[in-house]
Amino acid sequence: MAKPIITLNALKLVIMLGMLVIVLAGIKVAADLIVPFVLALFVAVILNPVVSLLERIRIPRALAIVLLVSAIVMLAVLLLAYLGTSLNELARTLPQYRSSLIAPLSSLEPWLQRVGIQVSVEEVVKYIDPNAAMTLITNLLTRLSNAMTSIFLLLLTVVFMLLEVPQLPTKLQQLMSRPAEGMAAIQRALDSVTHYLVLKTAISLVTGLVVWGMLSLLSVRFAFVWGLLAFALNYIPNIGSVLAAIPPVAQVLVFSGLYDALLVVLLYLAVNMLFGNILEPRIMGRGLGLSTLVVFVSLIFWGWLLGPVGMLLSVPLTIIVKIALEQSQGGRSIAFLLGDVSVKR
């Protein structure tokens, strides 16, 4: 009787894996439709505590939502206008960087030769094409001009989601066979995701402001653009701060020299050490309940499935999946593998 049981279990596993592949393939194909909805959902999660706070001071929920969204729209218009101006200026200066690269590369050439790397500055400069960077900036400006429509639709979805929040628990309970356990799991997932997103947004905002301020003090051009980039990429775990540092360091290396570039590198290292390794773990308090390896793998997986938005939201999405797996007997072992055993439960 052992063989039929093993065969049945194997068949169930194959069927589940097949269903998972079909679901993931469907999500991948429909990413253009799913990504705005997922992004709107997480924006609503971030804004809901602010709406609740306004309700506590006797402001009606609908009015609180309108005031909050209006403030966000005004801020978005100002940011996009300033960002568009900065990107236009950046596009105009790009043709200058090819000739400016000769000096820093010439200063690096003796260092590389000492460690046995033979590099010809003239040959390297030949491979540098400013037209590629110009094309990239042009594409960014084109997307920026279309961003207002996307932001409007996104915020409209967020508004309806926030208006639906008071009725949502009653509707969800009607769909569940075990309402008490189901609502407890949903509340736990919501608390974990809200805790992470709200604090991560606050830390990312402070990080972006600090980077902007420090680069401005160092007279680095386009400091606002690099501060905004640091704010956005700080949501990406592990590698976000590294990616945010590459463009400003490259710019300073080209236009100001090696030693100024090293100073900017030290600035980013200090900011990352202070916010990423000291303040963020203390402010976050309890652990995320995910192992470091799972956080990195989830970054790759969600980035492949949902694109850049998936990378930004990889941690909260994985937290939701982990809590969902904990609700079934068969999924608890997988949830345990995703978890961090060093976190006290």
Side-chain angles (χ1 to χ4, degrees), residues 180-190 323 327:
E181 296 180 11
M183 291 305 299
I186 291 175
Q187 188 61 48
R188 186 169 148 228
L190 188 61
I323 292 176
Q327 305 313 306

Side-chain angles (χ1 to χ4, degrees), residues 244-321:
I246 293 175
V249 170
Q251 174 196 311
V252 174
L253 178 63
V254 170
F255 291 104
S256 301
L258 179 62
Y259 294 103
D260 288 337
L262 290 176
L263 184 61
V264 175
V265 170
L266 291 176
L267 163 67
Y268 273 90
L269 287 175
V271 171
N272 184 57
M273 184 69 65
L274 176 62
F275 291 99
N277 298 335
I278 299 177
L279 290 181
E280 185 170 322
R282 292 189 178 183
I283 294 176
M284 289 288 186
R286 55 188 173 83
L288 296 173
L290 301 173
S291 70
T292 305
L293 176 61
V294 169
V295 171
F296 184 73
V297 173
S298 69
L299 173 68
I300 299 173
F301 172 75
W302 292 111
W304 165 79
L305 190 64
L306 299 177
V309 173
M311 298 178 70
L312 294 174
L313 301 175
S314 59
V315 171
L317 286 170
T318 307
I319 292 174
I320 293 173
V321 171

